[in-house]
Amino acid sequence: MNTVNKPFIAKHPSVLKIPPLGMDAGGLEEDFCRYFNHTLGWDKAIVSSHHVYSSCALVLRDRLVERWRRTQRAYDESGCKQAYYLSLEFLMGRALGNALLNLELTGAGAEAMRNLGLDLEEVQELESDAGLGNGGLGRLAACFLDSCATLQLPVTGYGIRYEYGMFRQKIEQGRQVEEPDHWLRNGNPWEIERPEYAVRIKFGGRSDFYTDPDGDLRARWIDTQDVVAVPYDMPIPGYRNGTVNTLRLWKAAATEEFDLEEFNAGSYTEAVAAKNAAEHITMVLYPNDASENGKELRLRQQYFLASASLQDVLRQWVHKHGDDFSDFAEKSCFQLNDTHPTCAVPELMRLLMDEHGLGWDEAWHITAGTMAYTNHTLLPEALERWPVGMFGRLLPRLLDIIYEINARFTEEVSLRWPGDTDRQRRMSIIEEGDIPQIRMAYLAVVACHSVNGVAALHSELLQQHLFRDFFELWPGKFNNKTNGVTPRRWLASSNPLLSALIDRSIGEAWRTDLSALAALREFADDSEFRAEWRQIKQANKRRLADTVARDCGVEFDPAAMFDVQVKRIHEYKRQLLNVLHVIHLYDRIKRGDVADWTPRCVLIGGKAAPGYAMAKRIIRLVTAVAEVVNHDPATQGRLRLAFLPDYCVSAMEVICPAADLSEQISTAGKEASGTGNMKFMMNGAITIGTLDGANIEIREEVGEKNFFLFGLTAGQVEAARGSYDPASIVAADADLARVMHLLESGHFNLFEPGLFDPIVQSILSPNDPWLTAADFRGFVDAQRKVAEVYRDRERWTRMSILNSAASGKFSSDRTILDYNRDIWQLSQVPAHAE
Ligand SMILES: *Cc1c(COP(=O)(O)O)cnc(C)c1O
């Protein structure tokens, strides 16, 4: 509640007194009709299906707002510690089904729609995904918000309200084509604009040093070109607990007087153009997953998010406590989702010193005490570095502060290791060279009191390699928080049939305590239960087969094994290895090696970064192989391959309940955690995977007999560098040699000679970092085992049930409880009762 409205409400408290909204079908129906007739669909000519959807959303939003206010009041009045999750990405997907589920309105909502002659499921399909993220990192942020609300933890998400989210992927002539995702075109009924909380963000200009009236040397940032950040709030409902948390997304807008100055100078059109330039900052999400691109606009986005969010938190603090920050660190915590929001470190220092008058030591104590950093990757191409020159032009005052942080840090290193100048250079936040760069990961490690990886292996490798020197200096900072996914979206909502069977068998507690799924273990030996389990999988497979038929024009037989790999297209994830296996199966069919064949439908989906040529070529290979395989009569009833366009959250909700086999085949040591692997496991898919990321923990939980393991270990991958000889691997393996021959001979690209030469070369290169050839034999053998087990339906079903039963650890509720226990230390605060 802002300060302008507070006195008004104090004088007129009755404006807040309205009876609670109806939570039955009748109440929903009545409100729907009112929205539809009065607000949105009043003119026959403008009635469109999206008004139906918008009316539904507004009916639910009202019910969320009631609970939202009570939650925020409870947080406010308890004076509790709060955490802020800073992320450039929130891959939320759709909100309507989630609101229905969490408000316990799915049944009443369906009934209300039926009474009006509408179908709730069709209405849900009208919502576009909020695709404000690339992949796992952004989806993790979304799952975390769901878990925090469900656990009644006072956590606010801060992000950017991109006008255009993740591009929509079309496939034309076998190639990826990107289309802009204007997800806000029809408005966003879930958001509430809060212009009263807009803040100014500075760019450019210079630092000015002056002596204040007390005789202290101070700095200020002047001659800046400012942009306004306007917040839009999205409600984040907890699961049936009356709690609604906030995701606050910032949109960039021009300042008013900026326009005026230009106008007075007589350049009206330039002023309007400048307005446009300001708004560019939040125009589009950068579509790069696990790689940085070094663009200045991206740095602007990062600083924009960090500054707006910190100013927002500090404004609320000052409103309550004035300029007394002595308790601030005890009451606040910022979690940085990767290095993307790391500008928050120097920005908090700047705000505390330049705007609130604190000294360096006091400001540093608060900054280090409140900031925590989550690392998401070891891949060198993903580690953010900003050229000092660019950074200093855009954010000169922040650069001063980073230099000072580095100077003090370097002194600490030299005291710990006197004379070790090599180590000082290695650990410096500034990387020297022709173009000196700021190493954002080092800045985050130096400033934050907690540094975590996202799976046990990943956290271990961080300590041994990327942050080795820092681990020696501060071993206590480093910890692991294995990722998780929310069982509400990824099981309860996406797989209603399986959820109902689980409810009937073991009760409903699993929705908020996923470890309760362990009770399913005893049902694995119950043949009637297994038959039901199988029937549900079949129904889910039919639903996916419909999608594949519609979007790919390929017929999948639900009786066949569904072998699925969906994730961003990246060489380290090795979609290529998957395709090599499909080519191998095709080759076996063509050679008549089909005794005891297990019919298999292979589904691959995912987006390639628009500038990532090799990833796009791999998509082209999948579609080319699919074309040949699917049209060869010999493969009929044995093998199908399809590339599913536009993989996104709502697609995954259809895919993961229908998969038999989950492909998690990254080069060991490269996938930080993976979360797709967890969604599949929960829904009873069995994993074929390497010892990478969270696969290791999945295998530990489910037992080695219920996991198809293959491939080199991270240690072996590391050791192979320098001695890797793929040509001799190919020569020694007749199956691989035939696959390579089919690729080289142009069998899949008769009309585009040379199309796949770069792919062949990458496999045959001794410098192939992904070691595709090295893992081919192990993968093919493991797949043979998969096929054999799948033919034993009872055995497969038992393994499927055991996978679901063992997935309890991979709830994001567990992950969030770990963050809270070790890093945030928040109390659970229930929302006020009505
Ligand atoms: C879960 C998810 C991911 C992450 O998948 P990984 O296999 O862990 O890379 C990416 N995109 C979407 C849409 C997801 O739902």
Side-chain angles (χ1 to χ4, degrees), residues 91 129 133-137 139-140 143 289 485 489-490 565-568 572-573 647-653 663-664 671 673-680:
L91 190 48
D129 276 33
N134 273 283
L137 175 149
R139 184 54 229 176
L140 185 76
C143 284
D289 185 68
V485 301
R489 183 175 295 261
W490 297 114
Q565 185 178 28
V566 286
K567 46 183 77 247
R568 288 302 291 261
Y572 86 80
K573 291 176 182 279
Y647 174 57
C648 58
V649 170
S650 53
M652 185 54 156
E653 289 172 21
E663 300 261 0
Q664 307 300 336
E671 185 75 88
S673 164
T675 49
N677 47 5
M678 301 168 184
K679 301 165 199 165
F680 283 114

Side-chain angles (χ1 to χ4, degrees), residues 660-674:
D660 292 308
L661 185 67
S662 158
E663 300 261 0
Q664 307 300 336
I665 60 178
S666 52
T667 310
K670 308 299 180 188
E671 185 75 88
S673 164

Side-chain angles (χ1 to χ4, degrees), residues 202-209 219-226 396-397:
K202 300 182 186 214
F203 289 101
R206 61 191 175 87
S207 303
D208 176 44
F209 298 90
R220 62 189 160 203
W221 186 359
I222 60 168
D223 299 340
T224 53
Q225 292 184 320
D226 297 358
R397 178 65 187 126

